[in-house]
Amino acid sequence: MRTRRAALGIITGASLALTLAACGEESAAGSGSEGGTIGIAMPTQSSERWLTDGKSMVKDLEAKGYRTKLVYGDDDPQAQVTQIADLVRQRVDALIIAAIDNKSLTGVLQQAADADIPVISYDRLILGSKNVDYYVSFDNEQVGRQQALHIIDRLGLEDGKGPFTIELFAGSPDDNNTKYFYEGAMYLLQPYLDGRKLVVRSGETKLDKITTLRWDGTTAESRMKRILSTSYNGERVDAVLSPYDGISLGVLSALKSYGYGSGGKRLPIVTGQDAELASVRSIIAGEQSQTVYKDLRQLATVAANMADDILKGRTPRINNRRGYDNGVKPVPAYLLQPASVDKSNYSAVLAGYYTADELK
Ligand code: GAL
């Protein structure tokens, strides 16, 4: 199918140029965009990371001579389905999609397949569809392990210290990454829970009890407040496993409203992910204690190269063939490695990602 598509590439690209000249919402690569048009569907603009992903992919693809159509779904699964259906109707040459709800895209991906449009699942694996050609992401289980390791190190659990209290937060239940982050973290934390060196006073440890719909910081803040008021009367919480910076900031805000971080009541260890600027600043200020840095510019480049390879009839580079099964088939994947960041290493790890001024 891909070979057939590659053979059709020039014709499709040429007819596209005509179609797109009429609709005028695409971002053009200046002059020669014979490569065709890539549709990029991202989940939300409310988080800095997805802005970086979108911007970086547009830049990389334009440098390769493609036009791009970048859309954001406002964290609304139905809106995203409509946006992708529009991109299919506009006959883009390939789709790069970070799903909002990983199970909501089966119908629209069938439309894409019927139009012979290859699909790259970006960062979040799309489930339940055979029409997902490739997956690009980070080693998501490793993300969870890095968060757990930070907690283990900072509490001195390997030296036998404890018991300590901890609360657990997970990501959105409709995001396939959520379970990888959770399982990665629990792989390392569970022995300490079993040995009562870590105690979850709320009792909420199972994934279905600790998810945070759409990764929403305010939802996490409310849950943390409820836990503090019902399970920590007079007790302190020593650590919070948070899977994502937006959740970490919500948790920190709840903690502060309960007096943590002032009057000698130290904040607990709070992990995170994405190295978003607000969280890196919080780490520098000694509030959030850790985040996981994923170089999104690199992820964007992998996705752009993959799209380019597919459309030129080359076999894209993958480094994981069977690890990511979407329920219908194992999706060939390329995974990048994340890096744990805290106050001791942020300036070295993030040099070049943020300017010194941004980190002030
Ligand atoms: C996940 C992603 C994380 C974080 C989160 C919230 O799918 O892997 O890095 O960005 O979504 O946006």
Side-chain angles (χ1 to χ4, degrees):
M1 172 180 144
R2 296 295 154 249
T3 320
R4 188 168 73 85
R5 174 152 195 90
L8 289 174
I10 296 168
I11 300 165
T12 318
S15 58
L16 252 166
L18 289 176
T19 322
L20 296 177
C23 79
E25 48 171 83
E26 80 279 13
S27 151
S31 50
S33 294
E34 306 85 15
T37 301
I38 314 288
I40 306 168
M42 293 289 108
T44 179
Q45 304 195 61
S46 69
S47 153
E48 172 192 309
R49 75 148 285 179
W50 299 111
L51 300 176
T52 307
D53 293 271
K55 205 171 58 193
S56 305
M57 269 184 281
V58 166
K59 184 163 155 256
D60 287 346
L61 287 164
E62 290 189 351
K64 289 177 179 300
Y66 291 94
R67 291 169 190 270
T68 53
K69 283 173 173 273
L70 170 64
V71 292
Y72 283 90
D74 263 344
D75 262 337
D76 173 350
Q78 196 40 53
Q80 186 173 54
V81 169
T82 306
Q83 288 179 330
I84 296 170
D86 282 347
L87 292 170
V88 171
R89 247 192 311 281
Q90 291 159 25
R91 288 277 186 266
V92 293
D93 290 273
L95 280 164
I96 301 175
I97 302 171
I100 295 167
D101 174 347
N102 63 44
K103 290 201 181 94
S104 66
L105 301 178
T106 311
V108 77
L109 291 198
Q110 188 55 52
Q111 293 168 25
D114 293 344
D116 202 15
I117 300 171
V119 171
I120 296 170
S121 186
Y122 186 87
D123 192 85
R124 303 169 168 177
L125 184 61
I126 300 169
L127 301 184
S129 168
K130 64 179 188 308
N131 301 311
V132 183
D133 296 275
Y134 289 96
Y135 177 46
V136 295
S137 190
F138 285 82
D139 180 339
N140 291 308
E141 199 160 319
Q142 187 61 19
V143 170
R145 289 193 191 196
Q146 289 179 346
Q147 291 159 345
L149 259 186
H150 179 82
I151 292 172
I152 291 167
D153 285 350
R154 287 284 303 273
L155 292 178
L157 289 167
E158 279 185 352
D159 302 331
K161 294 193 184 147
F164 297 103
T165 54
I166 185 169
E167 292 300 327
L168 310 174
F169 283 73
S172 195
D174 50 12
D175 183 337
N176 189 55
N177 288 348
T178 292
K179 79 166 193 288
Y180 287 101
F181 300 149
Y182 172 76
E183 283 168 6
M186 293 310 272
Y187 177 80
L188 295 180
L189 295 179
Q190 194 62 51
Y192 296 106
L193 294 174
D194 293 343
R196 308 284 302 158
K197 286 293 192 181
L198 284 177
V199 178
V200 181
R201 287 184 66 89
S202 70
E204 296 172 8
T205 55
K206 294 277 173 277
L207 184 56
D208 62 348
K209 291 275 175 297
I210 66 168
T211 53
T212 314
L213 187 64
R214 304 280 134 68
W215 304 88
D216 180 48
T218 310
T219 304
E221 180 173 357
S222 308
R223 177 166 173 256
M224 190 72 224
K225 281 185 178 160
R226 172 178 59 74
I227 290 173
L228 289 170
S229 74
T230 55
S231 307
Y232 284 85
N233 251 325
E235 299 288 332
R236 67 165 270 117
V237 57
D238 298 309
V240 178
L241 173 74
S242 163
Y244 156 64
D245 288 345
I247 290 178
S248 318
L249 295 183
V251 164
L252 282 164
S253 160
L255 288 160
K256 288 182 192 169
S257 72
Y258 275 71
Y260 285 85
S262 56
K265 198 172 172 184
R266 137 168 135 271
L267 282 163
I269 293 157
V270 179
T271 62
Q273 173 179 198
D274 283 351
E276 293 200 323
L277 191 52
S279 281
V280 177
R281 287 187 174 142
S282 173
I283 289 173
I284 297 169
E287 298 195 336
Q288 188 172 324
S289 31
Q290 182 258 9
T291 186
V292 176
Y293 167 59
K294 307 195 296 191
D295 189 340
L296 305 170
R297 300 164 307 180
Q298 236 184 309
L299 187 65
T301 300
V302 173
N305 288 344
M306 226 172 220
D308 188 36
D309 284 342
I310 296 170
L311 292 177
K312 299 222 168 97
R314 297 186 295 250
T315 306
R317 225 173 117 203
I318 57 165
N319 59 11
N320 189 304
R321 182 164 292 284
R322 306 211 70 82
Y324 282 82
D325 196 308
N326 79 344
V328 177
K329 64 175 195 183
V331 181
Y334 193 94
L335 304 179
L336 294 164
Q337 284 306 311
S340 187
V341 170
D342 59 22
K343 206 169 177 175
S344 71
N345 69 353
Y346 77 88
S347 53
V349 179
L350 301 178
Y353 196 66
Y354 292 121
T355 63
D357 267 0
E358 284 173 315
L359 295 181
K360 267 186 199 149

